[in-house]
Amino acid sequence: MKYLITYLIILSAFPTCCNDEAIETEKISLSENEIQLIPYSLNQNINFQHSNGFTFNFVVTQDTYNWNSDNYCDDCCGGEYTSYQERYVSLESEYPEFNILLSLNSLQDIEFEEKSLNIQINRYHSSLKYDSSAKFICETIICYDEIVINDNTYFNVIECELENKYDTNNSINLYPQKVLYNNDFGIIQIKMSNNETYSLNN
């Protein structure tokens, strides 16, 4: 009994926070301008053309919104947190086999005061930085005021490199290398490592 009392005294000397609930101090939604950065809707079909001539469709298989938070401890830890909205859009094609994921969230990078639209094509990805008015930042990417693809003229197009941070296998010689994008049409062209292209076919 003496040992039990001693144990209870020791235990009570260490305060716990398990009864403290974390408090949501801010809830940040995606703005309409941010939402329009990904101009796709569920079940939409988008026709593309290979540089050798054949055409195929991408199908939008996912367009979802959800809420996340910057609370990285358990709920019992207490403290304050911010909730922020995310959007995920997936495009798929059967042949050639492309799995594309576009995502963004409403949480701003505090240090750089910017947000990013993330593009992943199979295992290759890039992040497109944009400012508070949802305009892409042309510091580390190529920006075109106007560009012609498949006899169609597109305005305010950005071109970015795709990187593979998951696979260091240098034997892969055919992969998506660059993507051209704007917020009116989304992905306009995918440039492959062998100089072939897949382009939007309006």
Side-chain angles (χ1 to χ4, degrees), residues 27-133:
K27 196 178 185 87
I28 307 173
S29 300
L30 290 166
S31 69
E32 190 61 35
N33 286 339
E34 289 180 285
I35 291 172
Q36 291 176 1
L37 288 176
I38 307 179
Y40 297 119
S41 56
L42 187 63
N43 299 322
Q44 180 182 354
N45 281 269
I46 306 104
N47 189 254
F48 267 66
Q49 183 175 25
H50 186 268
S51 50
N52 288 335
F54 72 87
T55 61
F56 65 99
N57 281 344
F58 280 106
V59 179
V60 180
T61 58
Q62 176 190 15
D63 185 4
T64 58
Y65 295 82
N66 66 274
W67 289 93
N68 206 335
S69 78
D70 61 357
N71 181 22
Y72 301 113
C73 64
D74 295 334
D75 289 340
C76 69
C77 292
E80 300 177 345
Y81 68 92
T82 297
S83 294
Y84 56 92
Q85 193 175 29
E86 300 175 313
R87 185 185 181 196
Y88 294 91
V89 175
S90 297
L91 291 78
E92 298 180 7
S93 63
E94 291 186 2
Y95 182 82
E97 187 177 350
F98 281 119
N99 294 290
I100 299 175
L101 176 63
L102 307 172
S103 63
L104 50 81
N105 67 61
S106 56
L107 192 65
Q108 180 172 284
D109 187 300
I110 297 175
E111 181 179 358
F112 298 105
E113 298 184 353
E114 60 190 22
K115 302 179 184 180
S116 61
L117 164 64
N118 301 302
I119 300 177
Q120 181 172 326
I121 302 178
N122 297 344
R123 298 177 68 87
Y124 297 81
H125 65 95
S126 184
S127 293
L128 309 179
K129 305 296 184 184
Y130 63 91
D131 60 23
S132 58
S133 60

